[in-house]
Amino acid sequence: MKKRWILQTKQGDFRGMAERYGISPVTARCMVNRGICGKEEIDTYLKGGMEKLHSPWLFADMDKAVQIILDHREGCGAIASDFDCDGIFSAFILKKGFETCGIQSRIYTPDRVEEGYGLNRRIVDEASAEKVSFLITCDNGIAALDEVRYARELGLPVIVTDHHEVQEALPEADAVVDPKREDCPYPFKGLCGAGVAFQLISALYEKMGISLEKREELLEYAAIATVADVMELQGENRILVKAGLRRLGETENAGLRALLEVQGLSGREVKAYHIGFVLGPCFNAAGRINTVEKAFTLLEETDTRKALELAEELKEINETRKQMTEEAASRAFELLEQGETGQPVYILYLPECHESLAGIVAGRVKEAYHHPVIVFTSVGEGLVKGSGRSIESYHMFEALMACSDLMIRFGGHRMAAGMTLRQKDLPELERRLNENARLQTEDFLPVLDIDVPLPVGYVSEKLIADLEALEPFGCGNPKPVFAEQHFRILRAARRGKHANVLTMKVANEAGTTIDAICFDDVDGFEKLICQEWGDEELEKLYAGKENAVDIGLAYYPSVNEYGGFRTLQIVVTDFCRIHRKMNTAAIDRKEMEKRADR
């Protein structure tokens, strides 16, 4: 898909920032582009540690929640979790934290297929029958009005910890700890469920006189949940993930060590990317197509051999999930090719798709077409379940709130949502969502923000090392993107098992040559070359012959280590023919160099 290249033009004292903090002007500009400007913000961004977290006592009802736990610590607590990565690690944080405090607890999770998301009566009944002393939810509960009321009718004190949006009203729990409730003064609203659970345990430790350093044992779990739940890596989330990644590489948890080993990450620096695309999907897959109990079993295993067996099993489950996802996504794209692309909001009905994969398929379609997408699957008895993924200009949760009369249950936030409704109401939902979408044509064209128009002659190992100060990268803190126009392609080749990696040697107008590698949309690259310059020119560049291609590249610099040698390279994130101004593609070379120097 074509992207609009937008050069970031935020102003700042980049040279002064660079001198003050020992970073390059390029890195300073990237920080300002991410809204990091004031002294306190910059200090927190570059050096912020656990001391920068807000006091957990700022949460509404935190004092009530902690007191309920202390009043009932002689009994056993019921932790009502969920089946995704955030739910798994929220529950594990609570369980580990309670153990440190000498409080027994047991985790209860819903069956994804039979029961769906969140707290349900079966969980309440089981907890009550086992005579637990209190019930605490994590990563769910804010929408479970009936279930919370039922639990309290059975005599259970209920604490809700969640991070999702409040719907019609707060549940009638004894305490509701959720930064999204309107009357909550906690300053940072972007925590995931595990982040909220982490802060509850922090408050509990403080109340019981347990050293707050002890909570650092829980950081790796909060980090995994934050990245896997695609939370913005800003503010407190960035602090938790930075600290958690440091611990994850040296984790004492046998299950996590085993999973790192089977995924080939032992002894390597673990980054947010590895959580998002390697570790997190293994935990999510257990809850999607198998049983979430396998994930908890792995996390609680202490025997190295058994942990390796369990880790291999989770890896295999995830491989199965990948295959099932490919099949469902192929069907979704077939429907779209048959003419389902005329509306602002795509509603796709895939009755055979495993319901747990609907959200992944919706994400795939959203990435390909840049439209809000909801994928529905059949769950029998005249009901369908849907999972949606949105774009920045469309608040999916608010749009669905306007259709709440059609819903049996639903929940979510701006960028994603899940729902259950009657199949007969699906056409009406589609009609309403599209009539009220208020989206413009430009909303469907993804934007690629260019941080700095940087000639590749400025790429060095020092700059690459300097940019590491901006990590961890992810949602809300993207990897910097640089761009330069007018590259010649000296040679190119498709590589990899599936020929889906493009390697090139390129040269800019100044004559600087550099290796380039592209992992994304190699077919799109070839299509662009053929459309703009012709099939013969594509053949020439693959043959290493002089060709007419004159292309602009968006990239990130890196070091390629192979065979004991280190060479500079650029990782290409997008490409285009240069015949527009930089707000859509390019900027002249002299101006690029001036901006890079500033």
Side-chain angles (χ1 to χ4, degrees):
M1 176 183 291
K2 279 189 174 182
K3 296 178 182 176
R4 286 186 292 154
W5 288 19
I6 306 294
L7 176 64
Q8 297 296 290
T9 56
K10 293 178 181 177
Q11 299 300 307
D13 180 14
F14 307 124
R15 181 69 65 184
M17 285 175 62
E19 292 174 355
R20 195 157 47 246
Y21 293 97
I23 56 179
S24 72
V26 170
T27 302
R29 179 182 284 273
C30 292
M31 288 172 58
V32 171
N33 288 344
R34 283 149 186 74
I36 312 301
C37 302
K39 182 179 184 304
E40 185 174 348
E41 281 183 304
I42 295 171
D43 286 339
T44 299
Y45 187 87
L46 291 176
K47 305 169 187 174
M50 298 296 290
E51 75 285 351
K52 293 289 187 179
L53 294 183
H54 293 102
S55 167
W57 300 106
L58 293 175
F59 276 98
D61 284 2
M62 182 62 83
D63 54 343
K64 294 180 183 178
V66 170
Q67 195 57 52
I68 291 166
I69 295 166
L70 293 176
D71 288 346
H72 297 86
R73 59 181 162 177
E74 299 303 320
C76 179
I79 301 170
S81 176
D82 204 41
F83 36 63
D84 70 352
C85 213
D86 193 15
I88 290 167
F89 285 97
S90 299
F92 197 66
I93 285 170
L94 291 178
K95 192 170 191 295
K96 293 283 286 184
F98 289 162
E99 284 175 2
T100 299
C101 298
I103 300 169
Q104 291 186 325
S105 63
R106 179 183 166 187
I107 297 171
Y108 297 78
T109 56
D111 183 287
R112 183 163 200 150
V113 175
E114 298 297 325
E115 298 172 323
Y117 165 85
L119 182 66
N120 59 54
R121 286 196 167 214
R122 189 267 306 166
I123 289 176
V124 174
D125 285 335
E126 282 191 18
S128 178
E130 293 177 14
K131 301 192 183 321
V132 300
S133 55
F134 67 93
L135 173 67
I136 182 168
T137 72
C138 53
D139 190 36
N140 78 101
I142 201 69
L145 306 187
D146 294 338
E147 292 80 4
V148 168
R149 189 180 302 114
Y150 177 62
R152 294 193 71 204
E153 288 171 357
L154 294 180
L156 278 175
V158 180
I159 303 166
V160 168
T161 76
D162 204 344
H163 72 116
H164 292 99
E165 302 280 356
V166 178
Q167 295 188 16
E168 296 89 355
L170 288 175
E172 297 171 9
D174 297 270
V176 178
V177 181
D178 185 336
K180 298 286 177 58
R181 56 183 286 184
E182 286 186 7
D183 61 341
C184 181
Y186 194 77
F188 185 72
K189 306 297 183 181
L191 292 171
C192 67
V196 177
F198 180 87
Q199 284 293 61
L200 184 144
I201 294 300
S202 297
L204 184 61
Y205 281 3
E206 186 177 332
K207 191 75 171 179
M208 294 190 68
I210 296 171
S211 168
L212 286 182
E213 282 70 31
K214 187 73 177 170
R215 68 182 176 169
E216 295 186 8
E217 296 176 3
L218 307 174
L219 278 170
E220 58 213 62
Y221 312 123
I224 293 172
T226 300
V227 175
D229 214 39
V230 199
M231 308 308 293
E232 291 194 340
L233 298 187
Q234 299 174 352
E236 294 193 352
N237 284 341
R238 179 177 165 79
I239 292 170
L240 290 171
V241 172
K242 279 184 76 172
L245 285 171
R246 283 195 295 268
R247 286 193 60 93
L248 185 55
E250 302 172 352
T251 181
E252 296 179 4
N253 183 288
L256 289 180
R257 281 202 313 271
L259 192 58
L260 289 169
E261 183 172 337
V262 301
Q263 294 288 9
L265 295 174
S266 291
R268 293 173 57 185
E269 182 182 5
V270 182
K271 300 198 173 187
Y273 169 86
H274 298 119
I275 293 176
F277 294 95
V278 182
L279 304 179
C282 290
F283 288 101
N284 274 327
R288 289 183 190 279
I289 63 172
N290 202 282
T291 169
V292 71
E293 295 302 325
K294 281 191 168 62
F296 286 119
T297 302
L298 175 67
L299 290 173
E300 293 179 341
E301 184 55 67
T302 57
D303 181 88
T304 300
R305 182 183 59 79
K306 291 180 181 178
L308 284 169
E309 291 174 358
L310 287 165
E312 286 285 3
E313 192 172 348
L314 250 63
K315 183 180 178 182
E316 290 173 11
I317 292 170
N318 191 42
E319 291 301 319
T320 300
R321 189 272 310 165
K322 287 181 184 178
Q323 181 60 39
M324 293 169 64
T325 301
E326 288 299 327
E327 293 169 0
S330 295
R331 178 56 183 151
F333 286 117
E334 284 176 13
L335 288 177
L336 290 165
E337 288 166 6
Q338 291 167 10
E340 299 287 336
T341 58
Q343 301 275 21
V345 181
Y346 293 172
I347 305 295
L348 299 174
Y349 180 46
L350 302 175
E352 304 302 320
C353 174
H354 195 289
E355 66 180 67
S356 68
L357 303 180
I360 302 177
V361 175
R364 290 274 193 94
V365 175
K366 189 263 291 189
E367 289 298 321
Y369 287 90
H370 205 67
H371 278 246
V373 182
I374 306 177
V375 172
F376 284 93
T377 66
S378 174
V379 291
E381 300 180 0
L383 300 180
V384 292
K385 281 187 180 179
S387 188
R389 299 293 182 268
S390 195
I391 58 178
E392 285 294 338
S393 51
Y394 186 76
H395 198 305
M396 184 167 280
F397 179 79
E398 288 184 356
L400 290 168
M401 275 292 287
C403 305
S404 60
D405 59 301
L406 299 177
M407 306 292 178
I408 293 174
R409 63 189 302 170
F410 82 103
H413 47 80
R414 183 185 191 93
M415 299 301 290
M419 68 226 71
T420 301
L421 62 153
R422 295 173 185 85
Q423 185 174 346
K424 67 181 182 62
D425 291 330
L426 203 50
E428 176 64 9
L429 176 69
E430 182 172 17
R431 184 188 69 78
R432 289 196 209 174
L433 290 178
N434 281 294
E435 282 186 359
N436 300 312
R438 297 191 296 275
L439 292 169
Q440 305 300 316
T441 302
E442 57 266 26
D443 293 323
F444 306 129
L445 194 61
V447 168
L448 181 66
D449 289 320
I450 306 298
D451 283 289
V452 184
L454 189 73
V456 292
Y458 282 79
V459 172
S460 66
E461 290 206 37
K462 184 179 184 306
L463 173 64
I464 293 166
D466 200 54
L467 291 172
E468 291 178 359
L470 304 177
E471 294 195 35
F473 300 128
C475 177
N477 187 50
K479 183 175 285 190
V481 178
F482 307 112
E484 185 175 7
Q485 61 174 331
H486 301 307
F487 279 100
R488 291 179 296 118
I489 300 178
L490 305 180
R491 61 175 181 270
R494 293 188 71 147
R495 304 188 188 281
K497 181 179 179 182
H498 302 290
N500 58 346
V501 177
L502 179 70
T503 60
M504 298 180 285
K505 174 75 77 173
V506 300
N508 66 4
E509 281 192 302
T512 303
T513 62
I514 196 167
D515 291 335
I517 188 166
C518 179
F519 298 100
D520 299 317
D521 197 18
V522 179
D523 291 337
F525 169 82
E526 291 187 347
K527 185 177 180 181
L528 175 70
I529 300 299
C530 293
Q531 285 178 343
E532 298 287 349
W533 292 280
D535 295 0
E536 289 185 5
E537 300 306 311
L538 179 65
E539 293 175 4
K540 287 179 183 177
L541 68 87
Y542 277 140
K545 296 179 180 178
E546 186 172 341
N547 56 77
V549 175
D550 177 8
I551 197 167
L553 299 178
Y555 69 89
Y556 181 81
S558 71
V559 174
N560 179 35
E561 296 187 52
Y562 183 76
F565 294 95
R566 292 168 59 88
T567 55
L568 295 174
Q569 67 177 9
I570 57 173
V571 179
V572 175
T573 54
D574 200 23
F575 34 78
C576 69
R577 179 163 189 171
I578 302 300
H579 42 59
R580 301 182 292 274
K581 293 181 180 178
M582 188 59 190
N583 66 350
T584 56
I587 193 167
D588 70 53
R589 185 165 61 85
K590 288 183 180 179
E591 178 63 15
M592 290 171 77
E593 291 179 345
K594 282 197 298 183
R595 288 178 185 250
D597 282 333
R598 286 203 290 265

